Amino acid sequence: MSSENLPTSPGRKPRVAVVFGGRSSEHAISVVTAGAVLRAIDRDAYDVLPIGITTDGRWALTADEPERMAIADRALPSVDDLAESAEGSVVLSVDPGSREVVYSEPGSVPKVLGDVDVVFPVLHGPYGEDGTLQGLLELAGVPYVGAGVLSSAVGQDKEYMKRVFVSFGLPVGPYEVIRPREWEQEPSAARRKITDFAAEHGWPLFVKPARGGSSMGITKVDGPSGLDAAIEEARRHDPKVIVESLLSGREIECGVLEFEDGPRASVPAWIPPVTDHDFYDFEAKYIDSASGVVPAPITPEQTAEVQRLAIAAFEAASCEGLVRADFFLTDEGEFVINEINTMPGFTPISMYPRMWQESGVSYPELVDRLIQAALRRPTGLR
């Protein structure tokens, strides 16, 4: 552990702020993830401060009650339901010489909640997983779990993620991008661009928010007639849209975790086809609890190759801490990288912790390793 990031008071436990919720459409999944992380943190080793961000961006002091953060009877949790006050707000100092957290309510004297030694941000999607929160924490001089500003931004934007991978010689599938101005000013030209893409690569296509996650806003389109509705659905989550061709093969995932000697890859998982859904969408993942097979039923040679590619993707995007890398194993036996997630889900059914569990790293140890990696790492240029 870097002496720079050790608690200032001798004998004091490091204080971990678990920050969750946020303004993206993945708000509820972030809350579920936070509940799982809060259950896993060793309270004998760390003090914990849960901080929720509401959908309108207010930082709220929340109850440390993980049992209230789960999906129950298909109902999604929210920070508003967990906040200790409807108006109180939490402020993290942006002075690098201070790591104080202050809580204030209208008409009351602000209360200092103490210093924070490390932030565990479990936000998914824009305004949290995309480098915005990471930039704030860099300004504040507070260590944090996971990828830095650049790699978080690259990992969130599927277009630039693919561009980076191509530049490093990693295999990616065919894709096309519809930028906001194209669709708003020349929708007919944008449609032609996609139908020309389909003429080359075939239908169906997958239309996605370019900077979304948790399989939200994705539509499988079988022909031109479904294109407009699919684009509008994706644009509900992100004005920039990415269109990908169907890759015939198996979905394989692999986790990467930062150890003291560098990143290592987990055993991979296979995501089998879901029978009640067109593809592995939000409902299948989180509501109907579709799950993968760990370890994936692939050959030792294929396992070694996907692990190599997962670490290569981690390094190409300059990631830190953790990554879940998602691949297609095509019918021709080649791996194609679909995307990386710099803050993958940590829900009880999430693949990332399941893959590491099968690799010999328990959930509590996984959380501890991520916190320790963050404490070892300096903020700023590195």
Side-chain angles (χ1 to χ4, degrees), residues 17-219:
V18 178
V19 180
F20 61 97
R23 294 162 55 191
S24 84
S25 54
E26 297 175 77
H27 177 97
I29 298 309
S30 175
V31 177
V32 176
T33 295
V37 170
L38 287 170
R39 278 190 294 271
I41 291 179
D42 182 357
R43 303 306 177 101
D44 292 330
Y46 304 103
D47 284 328
V48 179
L49 177 66
I51 299 174
I53 302 177
T54 63
T55 53
D56 61 3
R58 178 173 63 94
W59 289 45
L61 193 63
T62 65
D64 187 3
E65 299 176 5
E67 65 278 3
R68 294 174 57 197
M69 299 181 182
I71 297 173
D73 298 325
R74 303 178 77 87
L76 301 175
S78 74
V79 169
D80 288 294
D81 296 332
L82 297 162
E84 294 193 351
S85 164
E87 295 183 305
S89 62
V90 173
V91 176
L92 176 67
S93 171
V94 293
D95 176 2
S98 169
R99 294 177 180 174
E100 279 188 348
V101 174
V102 177
Y103 177 73
S104 62
E105 290 193 66
S108 300
V109 176
K111 180 169 63 175
V112 176
L113 300 179
D115 289 353
V116 164
D117 299 296
V118 62
V119 169
F120 200 134
V122 291
L123 294 104
H124 302 306
Y127 313 110
E129 192 184 349
D130 59 350
T132 50
L133 177 63
Q134 289 74 14
L136 172 65
L137 296 173
E138 292 286 355
L139 286 173
V142 178
Y144 54 92
V145 169
V149 176
L150 173 66
S151 45
S152 294
V154 168
Q156 188 64 48
D157 191 311
K158 293 178 175 62
E159 176 193 0
Y160 287 98
M161 180 197 309
K162 292 175 189 292
R163 290 182 182 273
V164 167
F165 291 157
V166 168
S167 73
F168 277 81
L170 297 174
V172 304
Y175 69 95
E176 188 58 86
V177 175
I178 302 298
R179 302 184 186 282
R181 190 177 300 141
E182 291 180 87
W183 186 248
E184 291 158 9
Q185 296 183 2
E186 294 187 81
S188 58
R191 286 188 203 97
R192 275 198 308 276
K193 185 160 84 167
I194 300 176
T195 53
D196 288 347
F197 176 79
E200 181 179 357
H201 299 287
W203 300 91
L205 302 176
F206 288 92
V207 179
K208 305 178 177 182
R211 294 161 291 194
S214 295
S215 298
M216 301 183 80
I218 299 177
T219 306

Side-chain angles (χ1 to χ4, degrees), residues 183 187-188 191 194 207 221 223-235:
W183 186 248
S188 58
R191 286 188 203 97
I194 300 176
V207 179
V221 181
S225 62
L227 210 47
D228 280 28
I231 290 173
E232 291 299 339
E233 171 59 19
R235 282 171 52 85

Side-chain angles (χ1 to χ4, degrees), residues 80 288 330:
D80 288 294
D288 295 336
T330 68

Side-chain angles (χ1 to χ4, degrees), residues 281-362:
D281 62 4
F282 178 85
E283 290 270 326
K285 277 185 181 178
Y286 298 109
I287 305 299
D288 295 336
S289 301
S291 59
V293 177
V294 188
I298 57 179
T299 69
E301 293 76 18
Q302 289 171 328
T303 294
E305 176 63 3
V306 77
Q307 290 173 327
R308 182 190 72 80
L309 288 170
I311 292 175
F314 182 95
E315 300 281 30
S318 298
C319 294
E320 295 168 300
L322 72 163
V323 147
R324 194 194 73 229
D326 300 348
F327 298 85
F328 291 104
L329 176 55
T330 68
D331 294 340
E332 293 73 36
E334 301 295 328
F335 282 104
V336 175
I337 186 165
N338 183 37
E339 64 179 21
I340 58 170
N341 279 267
T342 56
M343 184 51 69
F346 274 78
T347 69
I349 62 170
S350 293
M351 297 311 301
Y352 185 83
R354 286 187 57 200
M355 288 186 287
W356 278 109
Q357 177 79 40
E358 190 67 26
S359 304
V361 181
S362 69

